[in-house]
Amino acid sequence: MKLRISALLLALLMTVSVFVGCNNTGAGTVTTTGEPALTTATPAITTATPTTDSTTTATPVTTTEAPVTSEIPAVTTTATTTTTAEVTTAQPDPVPEGISINGVLLQNYKVVFPAEPTVFETYAVNFFVEMIEENTGIKLTSSSDAAEEREYEILVGNTCRDESAEAPDSGYYSLFTSGTKIVCNGQYHLVGAGLYEIADRIPEGTEDIALNVSTSQDPRLHTYKEATSAILIIGDGMGFNTIEMAKANGICPDFYAKALPVHGSVSTLNIYNEITDSAAGATAISCGTRTKNGYLGMDKNGVSIKNVRELAHEKGAKTAVLTTDAITGATPSAFLAHHTSRSDTTILKNQINALISENGVDYCKGSITSGLLTFAKAAIERISADNSKFFIMIEEAHIDKHSHSNDGINASKSVKQLNDVAAYCMSFTVFHPDTALVITADHETGGIRYSSGEYIYTSDDHTAANIPMYACGGGTEVLNNNIINTDTSDFLFSIFE
């Protein structure tokens, strides 16, 4: 009897030995270079339909948040034949079939964010979870760090978990393995860069792939691809001190666009080197030509000039125009119509209605009295669906209107509404690295100055003051430093030419 037991134990030990030996076969190092593939996601915030002007605009679809993408150098991937990267974290033995990270099935991870997340942490988690579900059918769970801790977690931002680390310097992001946790962080929109790096390595339809995240905590430089799409946000009448006033009075304490890599100062004078109005200012941006005040999409001689939205449409991109002004307002009309008088609203309305009926624009909405962010999400989701190239102009017009009345409080509220849209679009570009984002103005209104400890208006009209430029995306470095308003158009045209 003892002899039989000994034989059985010996056979069992031999079996275990063979199993362990097989698991170690074929280990090696995987390189991490190469361009990530573009994918699209649909973040999970549902949108309502706010009150808008219905005379000349298409009705937006109630929708969920839109896709996203960004560049990534750190996740190593293995398909079918499993190899391992230079990772020292404990991993189950053997690596399971299916989609795994560090040897753990993806669905066994929980995505964890801070109990009081920033808007960027929220967008990052939403985009990531939806992107993973769309590509794989796996619905990851997510919760704040106040919930019970799990062994396997993907930590986003500054969570209270011991493994979380501070965000690296501006322009960089972190993605690394610490114990059984995966840590992702970055400042502002770049908090999502590490998540995208993971999601981008799992193409749509993937069923079996092994990812390994390095233990190295070295910051990674965030980069963009060559731009094939563009988001243009215009704050009508928004000068540098308009932003500073909104920060100082606490209504918009953190103007997010300042976290973008490109900062410029833009001259806005018209063709005669005079103070511009919104028509000439918007035409310079849309058409790349300085013109007379009052002219829309026309040069000084009244000759019609192609605008960037029209070029994008010709090249097969989808296009959209959104504004809190009437759709016949000067700024939106510069992207939708051509006429020598901004005051001829009937003519402008007829041109715009004809454009819509002929499917010359994919999404058009004016007089958005509230919820500009809701419409921006809906429009971007629609025109970027199926990885379509696109162009969209989004205007917050009431910065100008309130500044004409020297109403600093309501002008600042309009700055905040623009800021909310900027946060979403910044996050969008992280997940769509081939999208350029440009945030600027057409002119300054009110001559706002800092005096005796506060920001005050010195005029009730437009001024010659330079206006800000903030941007990110491939090629936007040409918008750095001191430029003129037509330089903005030149860059946007270059994307679609």
Side-chain angles (χ1 to χ4, degrees):
M1 183 67 177
K2 291 182 179 179
L3 183 59
R4 288 182 181 177
I5 293 173
S6 298
L8 287 171
L9 287 173
L10 179 60
L12 179 61
L13 287 171
M14 289 176 68
T15 301
V16 172
S17 180
V18 169
F19 179 78
V20 174
C22 288
N23 186 58
N24 291 330
T25 301
T29 301
V30 181
T31 57
T32 63
T33 58
E35 290 293 326
L38 289 180
T39 55
T40 60
T42 329
I45 299 174
T46 56
T47 59
T49 305
T51 304
T52 61
D53 175 12
S54 61
T55 57
T56 61
T57 62
T59 303
V61 176
T62 300
T63 147
T64 56
E65 292 185 337
V68 200
T69 43
S70 153
E71 294 214 355
I72 316 173
V75 176
T76 61
T77 65
T78 311
T80 309
T81 301
T82 302
T83 59
T84 57
E86 297 174 347
V87 178
T88 58
T89 56
Q91 299 182 18
D93 217 5
V95 174
E97 291 185 2
I99 300 170
S100 65
I101 304 178
N102 296 342
V104 178
L105 286 173
L106 179 60
Q107 56 266 38
N108 291 338
Y109 282 93
K110 180 172 73 170
V111 183
V112 176
F113 52 87
E116 295 183 1
T118 67
V119 64
F120 293 106
E121 290 164 343
T122 299
Y123 283 137
V125 171
N126 286 346
F127 290 163
F128 176 66
V129 169
E130 291 296 325
M131 187 174 181
I132 291 295
E133 183 176 11
E134 181 174 311
N135 286 354
T136 70
I138 296 172
K139 187 168 181 62
L140 294 174
T141 59
S142 63
S143 71
S144 79
D145 55 12
E148 182 179 358
E149 185 173 354
R150 284 191 190 176
E151 183 177 6
Y152 301 111
E153 294 180 330
I154 299 174
L155 308 180
V156 182
N158 297 318
T159 76
C160 68
R161 301 289 192 260
D162 292 339
E163 294 85 354
S164 281
E166 291 296 318
D169 292 341
S170 178
Y172 291 81
Y173 68 98
S174 59
L175 171 63
F176 60 89
T177 295
S178 179
T180 59
K181 305 292 197 289
I182 298 170
V183 182
C184 304
N185 210 348
Q187 295 188 30
Y188 293 91
H189 55 307
L190 295 189
V191 69
L195 293 174
Y196 175 76
E197 179 169 347
I198 295 170
D200 183 52
R201 301 296 182 179
I202 310 173
E204 187 173 355
T206 300
E207 296 182 356
D208 188 6
I209 191 168
L211 309 181
N212 291 283
V213 178
S214 171
T215 57
S216 171
Q217 297 189 22
D218 291 343
R220 313 186 192 290
L221 178 65
H222 179 68
T223 58
Y224 291 93
K225 294 182 178 181
E226 179 181 357
T228 60
S229 298
I231 300 170
L232 171 63
I233 300 175
I234 296 177
D236 197 325
M238 183 178 72
F240 285 101
N241 281 341
T242 315
I243 296 168
E244 295 307 311
M245 177 179 67
K247 291 174 61 180
N249 61 28
I251 293 174
C252 185
D254 190 358
F255 192 72
Y256 302 134
K258 289 189 174 185
L260 295 176
V262 172
H263 290 199
S265 178
V266 188
S267 171
T268 64
L269 298 178
N270 68 13
I271 187 64
Y272 301 114
N273 289 322
E274 300 168 341
I275 294 172
T276 191
D277 72 343
S278 289
T283 296
I285 297 172
S286 67
C287 299
T289 300
R290 294 196 298 165
T291 190
K292 292 181 180 179
N293 285 353
Y295 278 29
L296 292 164
M298 299 275 196
D299 69 11
K300 67 178 182 179
N301 298 315
V303 177
S304 180
I305 310 167
K306 182 184 297 182
N307 64 56
V308 65
R309 190 205 57 77
E310 291 170 326
L311 174 64
H313 177 75
E314 286 179 6
K315 297 296 184 178
K318 294 183 178 180
T319 67
V321 173
L322 300 179
T323 179
T324 58
D325 199 359
I327 201 65
T328 54
T331 300
S333 290
F335 292 84
L336 296 167
H338 301 270
H339 193 49
T340 53
S341 175
R342 60 178 289 181
S343 300
D344 291 339
T345 55
T346 299
I347 292 175
L348 296 174
K349 180 178 178 179
N350 290 339
Q351 287 190 29
I352 296 168
N353 278 337
L355 186 69
I356 294 170
S357 65
E358 295 166 2
N359 296 317
V361 62
D362 296 278
Y363 194 109
C364 189
K365 180 65 69 174
S367 297
I368 299 173
T369 57
S370 63
L372 182 60
L373 174 60
T374 295
F375 280 99
K377 291 175 182 177
I380 291 172
E381 173 167 308
R382 180 185 294 184
I383 63 177
S384 67
D386 302 320
N387 291 324
S388 296
K389 297 178 181 180
F390 68 89
F391 170 83
I392 184 170
M393 191 285 292
I394 305 169
E395 182 200 23
E396 172 45 78
H398 288 85
I399 300 170
D400 173 73
K401 297 181 186 303
H402 292 306
S403 291
H404 278 296
S405 302
N406 290 175
D407 183 350
I409 296 300
N410 281 314
S412 295
K413 289 179 180 178
S414 296
V415 170
K416 183 184 183 303
Q417 180 159 245
L418 180 147
N419 199 45
D420 292 341
V421 174
Y424 175 79
C425 294
M426 289 165 67
S427 296
F428 184 93
T429 64
V430 170
F431 286 82
H432 289 89
D434 59 349
T435 299
L437 171 62
V438 175
I439 302 173
T440 189
D442 52 352
H443 56 76
E444 195 270 355
T445 302
I448 301 173
R449 295 179 183 175
Y450 187 73
S451 177
S452 302
E454 63 179 344
Y455 288 91
I456 62 170
Y457 285 100
T458 64
S459 170
D460 61 3
D461 208 344
H462 302 176
T463 73
N466 279 14
I467 50 91
M469 164 64 68
Y470 305 103
C472 67
T476 54
E477 60 275 4
V478 299
L479 303 176
N480 256 322
N481 303 320
N482 296 318
I483 61 174
I484 61 175
N485 47 15
T486 55
D487 291 332
T488 306
S489 180
D490 291 344
F491 167 70
L492 294 171
F493 265 78
S494 73
I495 294 174
F496 301 101
E497 286 175 337

